[in-house]
Amino acid sequence: MEKQTTIASSCLFLLYITTFTVAEVLEAHHHLHQHNIHGSVKLFVFGDSYVDTGNIRKSVSPSWKEPYGITFPGKPAGRGSGGRGPPRFLASFLGIRSPVPYALRKFVKKSKLESGMNFAFGGTGVFDTLVSGPNLTTQIDFFEQLLQQKVYAKNDVVKSSIALVSVAGNDYAAHFGRPGNDTK
C-alpha cells in the first residue's frame, strides 16, 4: 500500500510540474509576442538524456549508434531521446532553431548560437549520478561562463530567454544503486 501511495504521489507531483511548466512557457511566449522580440528569444536547456541533443562524446554514448536517431534526423546524432525531443518541440513552438549542444559551440558559426544553447548531458542529474558527466550545477556554471565571456549579453538573456530543465530519474537510480541504500 505504501508503494502505491508513493507512486500516486509521484505521478501527481509530475502532473503538477508539467502543468506549471506548460503554463510558464505559454505565458513567456505571449509576453515575447507582446514586446515584438520573438526573433531574439533564446532557449537554454539543462538536464539529462531526455533533453540532451549531442553533448556526450561519440566514443562514450550509445546515442551515437543505431537505433538512436533513425526516426529523426535519420541517423544517430547523439540525441539521448533518440529523435525529436522536448528542446526541438519547444524551439519549434517559439519559432527558433533548436539550441546548439554545448559540446559543439566552438565548431558552429556564431549565428547558430543566437537561439540559445543546450547544456544537458545524458545520465546526469541534480547531484552526481552513476554517470560521470556534468551535473546540473556544472551545467549552470557552463552557462555562467558564457555570460562572462560575453557570448550572450546578460540583459538580452534576462529579457528574452526561456530555460528548459529536465531531471528525470538518474538521481534516484544513483541513490538506490549505492551500497547501503535500501531499495524496498
Side-chain angles (χ1 to χ4, degrees):
M1 182 69 175
E2 184 178 323
K3 186 176 181 180
Q4 291 172 334
T5 303
T6 302
I7 291 171
S9 297
S10 297
C11 288
L12 287 172
F13 177 72
L14 290 174
L15 179 62
Y16 169 76
I17 294 297
T18 302
T19 304
F20 178 73
T21 302
V22 169
E24 288 294 313
V25 168
L26 291 174
E27 182 181 329
H29 188 255
H30 177 72
H31 176 76
L32 293 172
H33 272 296
Q34 280 183 322
H35 290 87
N36 293 324
I37 57 171
H38 191 302
S40 65
V41 66
K42 291 167 186 48
L43 174 61
F44 295 100
V45 182
F46 304 89
D48 55 19
S49 61
Y50 288 107
V51 292
D52 180 2
T53 57
N55 276 314
I56 299 179
R57 293 187 322 267
K58 288 183 180 182
S59 61
V60 177
S61 178
S63 62
W64 289 96
K65 298 177 179 94
E66 288 190 1
Y68 287 91
I70 61 172
T71 57
F72 178 83
K75 63 180 181 179
R79 288 170 169 80
S81 62
R84 288 183 175 96
R88 182 147 180 106
F89 285 112
L90 185 53
S92 176
F93 176 75
L94 296 170
I96 60 174
R97 289 184 193 152
S98 188
V100 171
Y102 176 76
L104 301 179
R105 73 195 179 285
K106 295 180 181 178
F107 306 106
V108 299
K109 294 178 182 177
K110 190 169 181 164
S111 64
K112 291 205 174 199
L113 302 179
E114 292 174 359
S115 296
M117 193 167 294
N118 186 319
F119 299 93
F121 282 78
T124 63
V126 174
F127 305 106
D128 292 333
T129 62
L130 303 174
V131 171
S132 63
N135 65 19
L136 200 58
T137 301
T138 304
Q139 294 172 29
I140 293 168
D141 289 344
F142 292 158
F143 172 67
E144 288 178 339
Q145 288 170 4
L146 294 178
L147 291 176
Q148 290 171 357
Q149 296 167 359
K150 300 193 187 313
V151 173
Y152 298 102
K154 286 183 186 180
N155 278 346
D156 191 31
V157 168
V158 171
K159 290 180 183 176
S160 63
S161 297
I162 294 177
L164 171 61
V165 180
S166 170
V167 284
N170 297 320
D171 289 303
Y172 294 111
H175 173 75
F176 290 116
R178 290 192 177 102
N181 290 323
D182 189 8
T183 57
K184 294 180 186 176

